[in-house]
Structures are given as structure tokens and as C-alpha cells.
Amino acid sequence: MEITWNITDMKRDITGIVKIIYYSIAAKDVDSNYEDVYNFTINVKREPNSPEIINYEDLTQEQVIAWVKNKLGQERVTKIENRLTNKSITSKIHNNNLNLETGLPW
């Protein structure tokens, strides 16, 4: 099971401070052919003179993903990832059951 966090878009003000982050969480399990993507939006509240400010041009996806995860909190991040993993397991069980043949020999 592979869970991927991606930044899909951002909105910033005229000074380059990011105000809104659009992100997705994708889960893919090739064993069960399970694939799911959730899209979210998060508002960022930072002051222009905050020491956390990084020039817009210098931002990396890893930094922005860290902001998103920090804003959500570790407990919520874990719940989201566990939910996707559990859905994959359920999908795998369902798919395995689809491969079973039913019927009677007479």
C-alpha cells in the first residue's frame, strides 16, 4: 500500500504569502487494484513577518506537505492514512471473494 500526499495548487497574496493550500492524498495498492484519491483545502494563517516565511519561489512540495500535516496534527494524519489502508484491505478481501466460484456439484 502506497499513500502519497501531493500539493495540487496554492493561492498566495501579492506579497507571496501562501494563504490557501489545495492538496490530495492518494492511496494505491497494486495487489488489490485499489486506488483512491481524496482532495482537500486548508487555509494557512501566517503573518508577513513570521520567521516561518519562505519566499514563494523557494518553497518545495515537501515543505508545504509538512505544513499541511502539522496543521492537521499527527493524530488526524494517522487516522486518514489508517482509513485508506483499511479501505485497501477491505477491497482486497472483496476482490479475493470475487474470484471464488459458487454453486453445487449437482
Side-chain angles (χ1 to χ4, degrees), residues 3 5 10 16-17 21 26 39 41 43-44 53 57 79 82 93 102:
I3 297 176
W5 291 69
M10 296 188 296
I17 296 175
I21 300 170
N39 294 296
T41 303
N43 292 318
V44 181
I53 296 299
E57 297 78 20
K79 281 182 182 180
N82 286 343
I93 291 168
T102 61

Side-chain angles (χ1 to χ4, degrees), residues 3-103:
I3 297 176
T4 308
W5 291 69
N6 292 301
I7 304 303
T8 57
D9 201 3
M10 296 188 296
K11 290 191 178 183
R12 62 190 188 277
D13 66 16
I14 60 171
T15 66
I17 296 175
V18 175
K19 298 293 184 177
I20 301 172
I21 300 170
Y22 300 93
Y23 65 101
S24 67
I25 305 166
K28 186 172 187 174
D29 187 344
V30 293
D31 294 335
S32 66
N33 292 325
Y34 172 79
E35 194 169 345
D36 209 348
V37 177
Y38 292 91
N39 294 296
F40 299 97
T41 303
I42 196 165
N43 292 318
V44 181
K45 294 184 179 171
R46 285 193 162 73
E47 299 301 321
N49 56 358
S50 170
E52 299 174 343
I53 296 299
I54 300 169
N55 288 333
Y56 180 78
E57 297 78 20
D58 297 330
L59 287 173
T60 65
Q61 178 160 273
E62 290 77 21
Q63 289 169 320
V64 179
I65 289 171
W67 288 351
V68 169
K69 287 182 174 182
N70 186 47
K71 174 111 173 149
L72 293 174
Q74 186 57 49
E75 184 177 331
R76 190 161 175 210
V77 168
T78 300
K79 281 182 182 180
I80 291 168
E81 291 180 348
N82 286 343
R83 187 177 329 136
L84 289 170
T85 300
N86 291 337
K87 284 180 83 173
S88 170
I89 291 168
T90 301
S91 176
K92 189 179 294 188
I93 291 168
H94 178 72
N95 285 342
N96 286 341
N97 288 338
L98 292 178
N99 294 330
L100 297 176
E101 293 183 25
T102 61

